[in-house]
């Protein structure tokens, strides 16, 4: 896969996961805007975004066609672990924007900035530690 196609796909998938994440957050925040609801919204959105991004990345970015519960369990666990640091970047940026400006627009701007930075870091971690099969990394400039 060419670098252009890789970047385009990864960007589109990041946008899809981000929109799903923020949509879930908005749904949760319809129940109130307390700090507890904010934390619940961020957590729920993150889980939805993570699952969507894993499914898309596994098949269309890393061309991983392995099947079976054991393979999915191991890779999803590693994928999630790699996402912990990048999630901290996302949550930190989103939370900072929320606590400084206390508006949905600024919270979402912080989320978009944090997710953008996090996704670049995450791609590199996933390529190196999660989707490590030789056939998957060949031709990707590894």
């Amino acid at each position: 896969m060419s670098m252009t196609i890789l970047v385009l796909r990864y960007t589109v998938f990041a946008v899809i996961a981000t929109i799903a994440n923020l949509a879930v957050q908005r749904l949760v925040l319809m129940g109130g805007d307390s700090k507890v609801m904010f934390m619940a919204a961020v957590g729920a959105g993150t889980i939805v975004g993570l699952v969507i991004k894993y499914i898309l990345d596994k098949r269309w970015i890393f061309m991983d066609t392995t099947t079976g519960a054991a393979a999915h369990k191991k890779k999803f666990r590693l994928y999630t672990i790699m996402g912990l640091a990048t999630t901290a970047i996302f949550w930190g940026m989103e939370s900072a924007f929320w606590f400084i400006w206390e508006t949905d627009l600024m919270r979402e701007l912080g989320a978009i900035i944090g997710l953008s930075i996090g996704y670049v870091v995450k791609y590199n971690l996933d390529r190196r530690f999660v989707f490590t099969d030789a056939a998957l990394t060949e031709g990707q400039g590894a």
Side-chain angles (χ1 to χ4, degrees), residues 6-16:
L6 175 68
V7 170
L8 181 63
R9 280 185 186 176
Y10 200 79
T11 300
V12 168
F13 297 162
V15 168
I16 291 168

Side-chain angles (χ1 to χ4, degrees), residues 87-136:
T87 297
I89 294 167
F90 155 54
W91 281 358
M93 189 73 69
E94 179 177 12
S95 296
F97 276 55
W98 172 255
F99 292 125
I100 292 168
W101 288 284
E102 295 183 355
T103 68
D104 284 333
L105 179 64
M106 293 307 288
R107 176 187 57 79
E108 289 178 355
L109 177 61
I112 291 166
I113 293 168
L115 284 167
S116 298
I117 294 167
Y119 280 138
V120 170
V121 172
K122 182 133 177 40
Y123 168 78
N124 287 294
L125 291 172
D126 290 340
R127 187 179 73 172
R128 180 167 176 147
F129 298 109
V130 179
F131 300 101
T132 58
D133 303 67
L136 298 176

Side-chain angles (χ1 to χ4, degrees), residues 61-78:
I61 298 299
F62 298 104
M63 306 306 171
D64 183 354
T65 58
T66 58
T67 59
H72 282 293
K73 180 180 174 183
K74 178 184 177 192
K75 286 189 180 177
F76 187 73
R77 186 180 77 244
L78 287 170

